[in-house]
Structure formats: C-alpha cells, structure tokens
Amino acid sequence: MAHWFHRNPLKATAPVSFNFYGVAGSPAANKICNDLRTTRARLLEMFTDSTCTPEIMKNASDVYFSLLQGFISSLDGTTQENKMRFIQNFKWTDTLQGNIPSAQQDAVFELASMAFNVAVWYTKFASRLEVHVPRLITPAEKGRDLEPRVMDAYIIQCQAEAQEVTIARAIELKHNASLIAALAFETANFYQKADHTLNTLEPECSSKWRKYLQLKQYFYMAYAFCYHGQTLLASDKCGESIRSLQEAEKCYSRAEALCKEYRQTKGPGTTAKPSEQLFFLKLGALIKTTLEKCQRENGFIYFHKVPAEPPQLELKASYGLAEPVPFELPPLSEQCTPEVYATFDLTKGAKNDKAKPKEEEVKPVKEPDLKPQKDTGCVLS
C-alpha cells in the first residue's frame, strides 16, 4: 500500500549528548545520562530501520520515555517543576516546514516531538499526544507539528486510513451494500474534516497534503453513492438508484482529476499513486457496470423518472468504525529515584548546550525505500 497512502516525512533532530559535567553528582546520575543518550540514539535508528516491527518500536520508545520522564515528573515530593526539565536544549524539524528546525530547552518539547515521530511511524494509530502539549512553555508556532491544527489533521487522517481497512474487509467478505455505503460515507467525512482542519495553513506547506485528503474524500464519496445505489435498486427504487450511481460517477471523475493535481503539486512527503492501484480502478468499473444494469432494468421493467438531484446521504454505520488507540507513556524508569534525583546539582557545570561553541546540525531522516507489494485490490492478508 506504499503507493496508496500519502506520507509526510519523519521529523529530524539534532544529536543530544546529555553530558552534564559536574551536574550529575553520582554514578547513578551519570548512568541515567548515559542511558538517555544511548536509548535516544537507538530509538532514532529504529525510524530508519526497515526491519523494525511495531513491537521493537514500542520497546525502544518505552525505554527512552521511561528515562526521559525522570526529567519531567516531580521526584522530590513537591508540586514544583522537575529541576532537570530545562537543562537540555532540543532541536526538531517539522513535517511540513522542510529542514528548518525549531529549538526549545525543555524536556516536555522533546517528549512531545519524539512521541509525535513515533505516532507518524505507526501511521495508522491516532495516538492522542495533546495532553503534554499545553505544558510547553513556548507555544507551537503556526504550521509546526505540535500546533493543534496539524496534530488534529494527523489524528483524523489516521482514523480515516484505519477505516479504509474496514471497508476493504467488508467488500472482500461481501457484506451488505448499505453497511459498505455507510462506512464509505463516514470515511469520506473524516477526510473532509482533516482537509478543513488544514485550510488556514500556508498553501506552500499544506497544498499537497490537502490534495491527497480531497482525492480520498471524493473517492470514498463515489464508493458511498455506488453502494447506496445498489441498496436503492434492491428496494425497487430504480430511478433514485440511477441518480445515485450518476453521482458516484461524478465523484469518481473528480477523484481522478484530483489524483493528477496531487501528483503535480509540490510539497513535503511522498507522492502516492492511488489512481494506478487496482482498488481505485475496480471502483470505476463497478460504477460503470452497475449504472448500465440500472439503466437497462429501468428501460425494461421500472420506467422510473430519474430525479434531478442526487439522494441526500444520511448514512450511519452500525458497526465497523475505527477507534483511535489511546497513547500511554510507560512507567517511570526504576533508575529515576528521589535519591538519585537529589544528586543532580544545577549549580555546577554547564547548564545548557548554548554554552558549547559547536552547533549540532539537524540532518534530514533518510527513510528506507520500501518496495510496494503486489497490488491485490482489497484482499487482506
């Protein structure tokens, strides 16, 4: 499905040493710093490892997040901010802003940014990360990944794409046409909602992504009208069925045109090729044959008048809707005890990376070039 889904690039980040010379005042404190450095580097490697599985990614992210929380959670029994929260500077790029990084000296910024990248890697899991974003001292700038509109668009897109799997499964198992129509209509609405979420962002960073969301909206509206037409025909409403299928044909043509516009639009991310996929092409053929059947039966049997307006779709799926998987941080690492925490002395040593003359470069993430598997239409393994 590599050519079916649009993917924005992963976020890139500068290396972080966690070298707090003088501040870490015990072997246990130094071990936490060393483990933070190695587990962060390990997690970043997983983003570009083509053999990484969801289980490996979860283990790698859990180990790092459990340690990082030692710089965020209160460990001294008070309600004050963790004294280590603002000691380290972090740099991250954004998925829509090219290779221009933003920086914050805040462990919460690191947690939200890294968790965002993990969510993008999972692709179809709409993990709710906003709970940590309001804690940031510096609010996210317009168009940055942690800005609410961008976060919401990713979450809604993930829900829509997860639901696509449900639709494909329903078609494969030959479920009732009314259920497939309802699922397709709900999915189209998800894509429309994601598109509208981005409509106030700068076009140069959002246009390509929005074209993808729009083409998917019209594609699934075509599916909804097509299968709704089948439902109407089964109820002997042949005239309304024809009009529904004509609207499906119109939506499908619009989806084809948007596919071309999407390929020609410049912007971040990979370029999907949905119009070349069997799942896309089969719908066009299905609409054509079903419409011809309805017109033929109307000419011989029903003699119904075809309405001027398409039917109003007010479809609700009774089951099969995708639900986001809640995002939960792992427990605090057992290394991060109040006793070890007390050995970090901020009055000693360099307090941040700004004291260092060398600026760490943020290099783009070189994602693995995964070859798409043979297209099988909507058959799921």
Coordinates of all heavy atoms in Angstrom, one line a residue, residues 5-12 47-48 92-100 113 116-121 123 145 150 154 157 205 208-209 262 267-271 363-367:
F5 N -1.2 5.4 0.2 CA -1.3 6.4 1.2 C -0.2 7.5 1.0 O 0.9 7.2 0.8 CB -1.1 5.8 2.6 CG -2.2 4.8 3.0 CD1 -1.9 3.5 3.2 CD2 -3.5 5.2 3.1 CE1 -2.9 2.6 3.6 CE2 -4.5 4.3 3.4 CZ -4.2 3.0 3.7
H6 N -0.6 8.8 1.3 CA 0.3 9.9 1.3 C 1.0 9.9 2.6 O 0.4 9.7 3.7 CB -0.4 11.2 1.1 CG 0.5 12.4 1.3 ND1 1.3 12.9 0.3 CD2 0.8 13.2 2.4 CE1 2.0 14.0 0.7 NE2 1.6 14.1 2.0
R7 N 2.3 10.1 2.6 CA 3.1 10.1 3.9 C 4.0 11.4 3.9 O 4.8 11.6 3.0 CB 4.0 8.9 4.1 CG 3.2 7.6 4.4 CD 2.6 7.7 5.8 NE 1.6 6.6 6.0 CZ 0.3 6.7 5.9 NH1 -0.2 7.9 5.5 NH2 -0.5 5.7 6.2
N8 N 3.8 12.2 4.9 CA 4.7 13.3 5.2 C 6.0 12.8 5.8 O 6.0 11.7 6.4 CB 4.1 14.4 6.1 CG 2.9 15.1 5.4 OD1 3.0 15.4 4.2 ND2 1.9 15.5 6.2
P9 N 7.1 13.5 5.6 CA 8.4 13.0 6.1 C 8.4 12.9 7.6 O 7.7 13.7 8.3 CB 9.4 14.0 5.5 CG 8.7 15.2 5.4 CD 7.3 14.8 5.0
L10 N 9.3 12.0 8.1 CA 9.5 12.0 9.6 C 10.2 13.3 10.0 O 11.0 13.9 9.2 CB 10.4 10.8 9.9 CG 9.7 9.4 9.9 CD1 10.7 8.3 9.9 CD2 8.7 9.3 11.0
K11 N 10.1 13.6 11.3 CA 10.8 14.7 11.8 C 12.3 14.4 12.0 O 12.6 13.2 12.3 CB 10.2 15.1 13.2 CG 8.8 15.6 13.2 CD 8.1 15.5 14.6 CE 8.7 16.6 15.5 NZ 8.3 17.9 15.1
A12 N 13.1 15.3 11.8 CA 14.6 15.1 12.1 C 15.0 15.9 13.3 O 14.3 16.8 13.7 CB 15.4 15.6 10.9
F47 N 13.7 4.4 13.5 CA 12.8 5.1 12.5 C 13.3 4.8 11.0 O 12.5 4.9 10.1 CB 12.9 6.6 12.7 CG 12.2 7.1 14.0 CD1 12.8 8.0 14.8 CD2 11.0 6.6 14.3 CE1 12.2 8.4 16.0 CE2 10.3 7.0 15.5 CZ 10.9 7.9 16.3
T48 N 14.6 4.5 10.9 CA 15.1 4.3 9.5 C 15.4 2.8 9.3 O 16.0 2.5 8.2 CB 16.3 5.1 9.3 OG1 17.3 4.8 10.3 CG2 16.0 6.6 9.4
W92 N 14.3 20.1 16.7 CA 13.5 19.2 15.8 C 13.0 20.0 14.6 O 12.6 21.1 14.7 CB 12.3 18.7 16.6 CG 12.6 17.6 17.6 CD1 12.9 17.7 18.9 CD2 12.6 16.2 17.3 NE1 13.0 16.5 19.5 CE2 12.9 15.5 18.6 CE3 12.3 15.4 16.2 CZ2 12.9 14.2 18.7 CZ3 12.4 14.0 16.3 CH2 12.7 13.4 17.5
T93 N 13.0 19.3 13.5 CA 12.3 19.9 12.3 C 10.8 19.5 12.4 O 10.4 18.8 13.3 CB 12.9 19.3 11.0 OG1 12.6 17.9 10.9 CG2 14.4 19.6 10.9
D94 N 10.0 20.0 11.4 CA 8.6 19.8 11.4 C 8.2 19.1 10.1 O 8.9 19.4 9.0 CB 7.8 21.0 11.6 CG 8.0 21.6 13.0 OD1 8.9 22.4 13.2 OD2 7.2 21.2 13.9
T95 N 7.2 18.3 10.0 CA 6.9 17.5 8.8 C 6.5 18.4 7.7 O 6.6 18.0 6.5 CB 5.8 16.5 9.1 OG1 4.6 17.2 9.6 CG2 6.3 15.5 10.2
L96 N 6.0 19.6 7.9 CA 5.5 20.5 6.8 C 6.4 21.7 6.6 O 6.1 22.4 5.7 CB 4.1 21.0 7.2 CG 3.0 20.0 7.4 CD1 1.7 20.7 7.7 CD2 2.8 19.1 6.2
Q97 N 7.5 21.8 7.3 CA 8.3 23.0 7.2 C 9.7 22.8 6.6 O 10.6 23.6 6.8 CB 8.5 23.6 8.6 CG 7.2 24.0 9.3 CD 6.4 25.1 8.6 OE1 7.0 26.0 7.9 NE2 5.1 25.1 8.6
G98 N 9.9 21.6 5.9 CA 11.3 21.4 5.4 C 12.3 21.1 6.5 O 11.9 20.5 7.5
N99 N 13.5 21.4 6.2 CA 14.6 21.1 7.1 C 15.0 22.3 8.0 O 16.2 22.4 8.5 CB 15.9 20.6 6.4 CG 16.7 19.7 7.2 OD1 16.2 18.8 7.9 ND2 18.0 19.9 7.2
I100 N 14.1 23.1 8.3 CA 14.3 24.3 9.2 C 13.9 23.9 10.6 O 12.7 23.7 10.9 CB 13.5 25.5 8.8 CG1 13.9 25.9 7.3 CG2 13.8 26.7 9.7 CD1 13.1 27.0 6.7
S113 N 7.7 15.9 20.8 CA 8.3 15.8 19.5 C 8.6 14.3 19.1 O 8.3 13.8 18.1 CB 9.5 16.6 19.3 OG 9.2 18.0 19.5
F116 N 5.5 12.3 18.8 CA 4.8 12.6 17.5 C 5.5 11.8 16.4 O 4.8 11.2 15.6 CB 5.0 14.1 17.2 CG 4.3 14.6 16.0 CD1 3.1 15.3 16.2 CD2 4.8 14.4 14.7 CE1 2.4 15.8 15.1 CE2 4.1 14.9 13.6 CZ 2.9 15.5 13.8
N117 N 6.8 11.7 16.4 CA 7.5 10.9 15.4 C 7.2 9.5 15.5 O 7.0 8.8 14.5 CB 9.0 11.1 15.5 CG 9.7 11.5 14.3 OD1 9.0 12.1 13.4 ND2 11.0 11.2 14.1
V118 N 7.0 8.9 16.7 CA 6.6 7.6 16.9 C 5.2 7.3 16.3 O 5.0 6.3 15.6 CB 6.7 7.1 18.4 CG1 6.1 5.8 18.6 CG2 8.1 7.2 18.9
A119 N 4.3 8.3 16.5 CA 3.0 8.2 16.0 C 3.0 8.2 14.5 O 2.2 7.5 13.9 CB 2.1 9.4 16.6
V120 N 3.8 9.1 13.9 CA 3.9 9.1 12.4 C 4.4 7.8 11.9 O 3.9 7.3 10.9 CB 4.8 10.3 12.0 CG1 5.1 10.2 10.5 CG2 4.1 11.6 12.3
W121 N 5.4 7.2 12.6 CA 5.9 5.9 12.2 C 4.8 4.8 12.2 O 4.7 4.0 11.3 CB 7.1 5.5 13.2 CG 7.8 4.3 12.7 CD1 8.9 4.2 11.9 CD2 7.5 2.9 13.1 NE1 9.2 2.9 11.7 CE2 8.4 2.1 12.5 CE3 6.5 2.4 13.9 CZ2 8.4 0.7 12.6 CZ3 6.4 1.0 14.1 CH2 7.4 0.2 13.4
T123 N 1.8 5.3 11.7 CA 1.0 5.7 10.6 C -0.5 5.6 10.9 O -1.2 6.6 10.8 CB 1.3 4.8 9.4 OG1 2.6 5.0 9.0 CG2 0.4 5.2 8.2
D145 N 4.5 21.1 13.9 CA 3.8 19.8 14.1 C 3.0 19.7 15.4 O 2.0 19.0 15.5 CB 4.9 18.6 14.2 CG 5.4 18.3 12.8 OD1 4.7 18.6 11.8 OD2 6.5 17.7 12.7
V150 N -2.4 20.9 13.0 CA -1.6 19.9 12.4 C -1.8 18.6 13.1 O -2.0 17.5 12.5 CB -0.1 20.3 12.3 CG1 0.7 19.2 11.7 CG2 0.1 21.6 11.5
Y154 N -3.5 15.0 11.5 CA -2.8 13.7 11.5 C -3.8 12.7 12.2 O -3.9 11.6 11.7 CB -1.5 13.8 12.3 CG -0.3 14.1 11.4 CD1 0.3 15.4 11.6 CD2 0.2 13.3 10.5 CE1 1.4 15.7 10.8 CE2 1.3 13.6 9.7 CZ 1.9 14.8 9.9 OH 3.0 15.1 9.1
Q157 N -6.7 11.8 9.9 CA -6.3 11.0 8.8 C -6.0 9.6 9.2 O -6.3 8.7 8.5 CB -5.0 11.7 8.2 CG -4.5 10.9 7.0 CD -3.2 11.4 6.4 OE1 -2.9 12.6 6.5 NE2 -2.4 10.6 5.8
C205 N 3.0 24.8 2.4 CA 3.4 23.6 3.2 C 2.2 22.6 3.3 O 2.4 21.5 3.8 CB 3.8 24.1 4.6 SG 2.5 24.9 5.6
K208 N -0.1 20.1 -1.0 CA 0.0 18.7 -1.4 C -0.8 17.7 -0.5 O -1.5 16.8 -1.0 CB 1.5 18.3 -1.5 CG 1.7 16.9 -2.2 CD 3.2 16.6 -2.3 CE 3.4 15.3 -3.1 NZ 3.0 15.5 -4.6
W209 N -0.6 17.9 0.8 CA -1.3 17.1 1.7 C -2.8 17.2 1.6 O -3.6 16.2 1.6 CB -0.9 17.5 3.1 CG -1.3 16.6 4.2 CD1 -1.9 15.4 4.1 CD2 -1.2 16.8 5.7 NE1 -2.2 14.8 5.4 CE2 -1.7 15.7 6.3 CE3 -0.6 17.8 6.4 CZ2 -1.7 15.6 7.7 CZ3 -0.6 17.7 7.8 CH2 -1.2 16.6 8.4
Y262 N -2.8 16.3 -7.5 CA -1.9 15.9 -6.4 C -0.5 15.6 -6.8 O 0.5 16.0 -6.2 CB -2.6 14.7 -5.7 CG -1.6 13.9 -4.7 CD1 -1.3 14.5 -3.5 CD2 -1.1 12.7 -5.0 CE1 -0.5 13.8 -2.6 CE2 -0.3 12.0 -4.2 CZ 0.0 12.5 -3.0 OH 0.8 11.8 -2.1
G267 N 5.4 19.8 -2.6 CA 5.2 19.9 -1.1 C 5.9 18.7 -0.5 O 6.4 17.8 -1.1
P268 N 6.0 18.8 0.9 CA 6.7 17.7 1.6 C 6.0 16.4 1.5 O 4.8 16.3 1.3 CB 6.7 18.2 3.1 CG 5.5 19.1 3.1 CD 5.4 19.8 1.8
G269 N 6.7 15.3 1.7 CA 6.1 14.0 1.7 C 6.3 13.2 0.4 O 6.7 13.7 -0.6
T270 N 6.0 11.9 0.5 CA 6.0 11.0 -0.6 C 4.8 11.3 -1.5 O 3.8 11.9 -1.1 CB 5.9 9.6 -0.2 OG1 4.7 9.4 0.6 CG2 7.1 9.2 0.7
T271 N 4.9 10.9 -2.7 CA 3.8 11.0 -3.7 C 3.1 9.7 -3.9 O 3.7 8.8 -4.5 CB 4.2 11.7 -5.0 OG1 4.8 13.0 -4.8 CG2 3.0 11.8 -6.0
K363 N 20.1 16.8 10.4 CA 20.1 16.2 9.1 C 18.8 15.6 8.8 O 18.2 15.0 9.7 CB 21.3 15.2 9.1 CG 22.6 15.8 9.3 CD 23.7 14.7 9.2 CE 25.1 15.2 9.4 NZ 26.2 14.2 9.4
P364 N 18.3 15.7 7.6 CA 17.0 15.0 7.2 C 17.1 13.5 7.5 O 18.1 12.9 7.4 CB 16.9 15.3 5.7 CG 17.8 16.5 5.5 CD 18.9 16.4 6.4
V365 N 16.0 12.9 7.8 CA 15.9 11.5 8.1 C 15.8 10.8 6.8 O 15.0 11.0 5.9 CB 14.6 11.1 8.9 CG1 14.5 9.6 9.1 CG2 14.6 11.9 10.2
K366 N 16.8 9.8 6.6 CA 16.8 9.0 5.4 C 16.0 7.8 5.6 O 16.4 6.8 6.1 CB 18.2 8.6 5.0 CG 19.1 9.8 4.6 CD 20.5 9.4 4.2 CE 21.3 10.6 3.7 NZ 22.7 10.1 3.3
E367 N 14.7 7.9 5.1 CA 13.8 6.8 5.4 C 14.1 5.6 4.4 O 14.5 5.8 3.3 CB 12.3 7.3 5.2 CG 12.0 8.4 6.2 CD 10.6 8.9 6.1 OE1 9.7 8.0 5.9 OE2 10.4 10.1 6.1

